[in-house]
Amino acid sequence: MAIVRDGFPASEGIVSGPVHILHWGVPEVPHETITPDRIEEEEEKFNAAREWAKGRIREVRHTTAERLGTMEARIFEPQLAMLDDAEVVDGTIRYIRENRLTAARAFDWRMLELQALWIRTRNPMVLDRLNDVEDLQVRVLHYLLDRPEPGDLDSLDEPVIVVARSVSPSLTAQMDPDRTLGVATDMGTRTSHWAILARSMQIPAVVGLLDISQVAWEGQEAILDGRIGRVVLDPNDRDREVYRARKVRLEEWEKELELVSKADTVTNDGQPVALRANVDLPSEVVRARDQGAEGIGLFRTEFLVVGRSSMPEEEEQYQAYRQAAEAFPDGAVVIRTYDLGGDKFPMFLQMAREENPFLGWRAIRVCLDRLDLFRPQLRAFLRATVHGDVRIMLPLVNDVEEILRVRELLGEEEENLKREGIPYYSGYKVGILLETPAAALDAAELARHCDFFSIGTNDLVQYTLAVDRTNPRLAHLYNPFHPAVVRQLHQVARVGRAAGIEVSVCGEMAANPLGAYLLLGLDIWSLSVAWPAVSEVRKVIREFRVEDARNAARKALAAPTGRDVVQCLVEGVGSSVDLSIFSGRWSLSLP
Ligand code: PEP
Ligand code: MG
């Protein structure tokens, strides 16, 4: 019987093929001691292993730079630094010399010791790096034990669906898209670093499948649907038929999208909609433009920070923002200031462990406390304003004072730039990302101090419903169509309109046809969606009629449950869009 697992969709695409279980684990190292005359030999072996591992990581860095960009490739720097770290190197050599251990055993011990030490600190910044540490251990130990490097797909006869407990960014960057049909993992979220890379490399992926690596076996047939986040192991004839038909339908859909690739984003009855893209990496800006996005509605800047061992420099950021602005000479580029904390912990920030990181030192709170990090970002943003309609957006704002403080800082940085003779455009816009019920309820007050609202429904849903967005066990409760969410969207849209500022939505909800329909029905005319979804959202918008959407939204606002909300929207959309293409996402179910 087929085994079906639902996780989070992390990267689009439906594929089928044999499973390849990736055992990316630290190998068992035999306990062996050496005679004194072999000490030098083992030291040399250890140094050779380090050099080899550095070489491999440099190769991965190089491939990443070629495929994605030099900035993206910098996430491998901490790993390189770790291979020269005195704690790692001296500690291992000491074990070889003083305890007469083989290089493999000495290194294994030292790493276990360091990991235990780091885990004891329970510092999330370190815990976040354990994945990288493990990656290094695996590489170095396989070399020392003279075993083939795991994760090497070149030796396989055919392309595979990689199944693993978890994968590292370096492993992902190493995957050849021609040999890797897709990736399915027990752990991870859509925003895991490797998932972002998979998306950018256009390798279909599903994460948060809990036990897929335990229930799947080598060579087993599998279907992976990265569009809805489902993996089917040992599919039966009916499953094969469902997915074959779905794939055919999606290919037709792709062709339909091409037909409107140059068309305006305008509803069937003539209402223009500003459709922008969300990007996670600078290299995605060009892809967003190729998809016909009108601008960048959410430029996530965390990539500049997470996975780095040092603070990103102003110049590097300025170049990234400037390139985005130049890619969209006629469109807005909305730079979101660092949204750190929650599930993103850069090494250098030394963030202490918190019981509830999503309710903790996060986003704008971090920036306002760490001006050494925030000021260079503000300067980079200001400098980029001369290259286009570059706007700044503050995440997780709850309070007017937060906006006032940022405006004050911007003013100070403007003065500094003036003094230094560096140009900027003073008419830039400052907006906020509305992500909490507090901000939605206080929207009228907040609107007086900012130039635009963007509603971050991913977090708004999480905070409204008290459902952790990264917890796969709660995925069925994470409902963007819950009446409490719908009412807040309505309230914020009304307030924004009354204040005369743009209201847009940049959460995933905007990329769902029912979500887009509801938002248009609430008179929200600006949407920003993940870059791969731009052309299909344009296509569905072109099928919608605003009057119908308004009627459906009116009914949805009076609906007693999330299920009823969805029902109102499904009825409203009617046959204008083939919802089966999106089945499985949120409340739409697959046959
Ligand atoms: C959101 O919360 O909806 C959002 C767009 O931000 P992120 O997904 O990066 O938290
Ligand atoms: Mg958010």
Side-chain angles (χ1 to χ4, degrees), residues 154-371:
D154 292 345
S155 55
L156 302 173
D157 299 335
E158 53 184 335
V160 291
I161 293 178
V162 173
V163 173
R165 205 171 66 81
S166 165
V167 296
S168 63
S170 66
L171 207 55
T172 313
Q174 230 175 302
M175 285 174 189
D176 177 352
D178 290 335
R179 307 194 60 78
T180 316
L181 297 168
V183 186
T185 58
D186 296 348
M187 328 252 286
T189 67
R190 217 186 119 73
T191 47
S192 299
H193 221 132
W194 79 263
I196 291 174
L197 292 181
R199 210 151 49 236
S200 230
M201 291 163 74
Q202 290 170 295
I203 297 178
V206 181
V207 298
L209 287 154
L210 300 175
D211 64 352
I212 192 82
S213 72
Q214 273 151 50
V215 292
W217 64 83
E218 189 71 27
Q220 186 179 25
E221 182 185 348
I223 298 170
L224 180 147
D225 187 341
R227 210 174 150 79
I228 60 164
R230 176 171 288 186
V231 175
V232 183
L233 298 169
D234 265 347
N236 57 30
D237 287 346
R238 188 175 166 275
D239 297 320
R240 282 192 206 96
E241 183 45 37
V242 165
Y243 278 92
R244 199 196 54 76
R246 200 164 142 65
K247 211 170 161 171
V248 169
R249 180 65 193 102
L250 282 171
E251 278 160 14
E252 280 167 17
W253 177 241
E254 287 293 323
K255 290 197 188 106
E256 290 169 41
L257 296 185
E258 266 169 41
L259 294 178
V260 292
S261 66
K262 298 277 180 290
D264 291 338
T265 307
V266 56
T267 62
N268 195 277
D269 49 355
Q271 169 66 46
V273 177
L275 180 61
R276 304 190 185 114
N278 299 348
V279 295
D280 295 304
L281 302 170
S283 55
E284 293 171 355
V285 166
V286 178
R287 294 172 187 218
R289 193 189 52 198
D290 294 346
Q291 286 259 332
E294 195 178 305
I296 301 296
L298 170 62
F299 191 126
R300 292 188 172 98
T301 55
E302 295 74 58
F303 71 89
L304 289 160
V305 173
V306 178
R308 295 278 192 91
S309 46
S310 61
M311 243 183 291
E313 282 166 13
E314 173 190 321
E315 184 62 25
E316 184 185 9
Q317 298 183 60
Y318 161 65
Q319 292 300 345
Y321 307 157
R322 176 190 173 152
Q323 277 166 22
E326 287 173 350
F328 289 99
D330 304 316
V333 170
V334 182
I335 309 290
R336 177 179 72 183
T337 59
Y338 298 132
D339 186 6
L340 299 168
D343 57 352
K344 303 179 201 87
F345 308 102
M347 276 178 96
F348 58 82
L349 255 190
Q350 317 264 323
M351 298 174 100
R353 182 184 175 274
E354 295 179 328
E355 288 298 336
N356 293 300
F358 275 113
L359 302 181
W361 197 48
R362 216 201 129 177
I364 192 68
R365 302 166 189 176
V366 173
C367 288
L368 289 180
D369 284 351
R370 286 297 301 261
L371 297 185

Side-chain angles (χ1 to χ4, degrees), residues 298 300 302 336 339 344 362 433 435 455-460 469 506-508:
L298 170 62
R300 292 188 172 98
E302 295 74 58
R336 177 179 72 183
D339 186 6
K344 303 179 201 87
R362 216 201 129 177
L433 196 50
E435 306 188 271
I455 309 175
T457 48
N458 302 344
D459 275 316
L460 184 63
R469 62 190 260 192
C506 64
E508 298 284 324

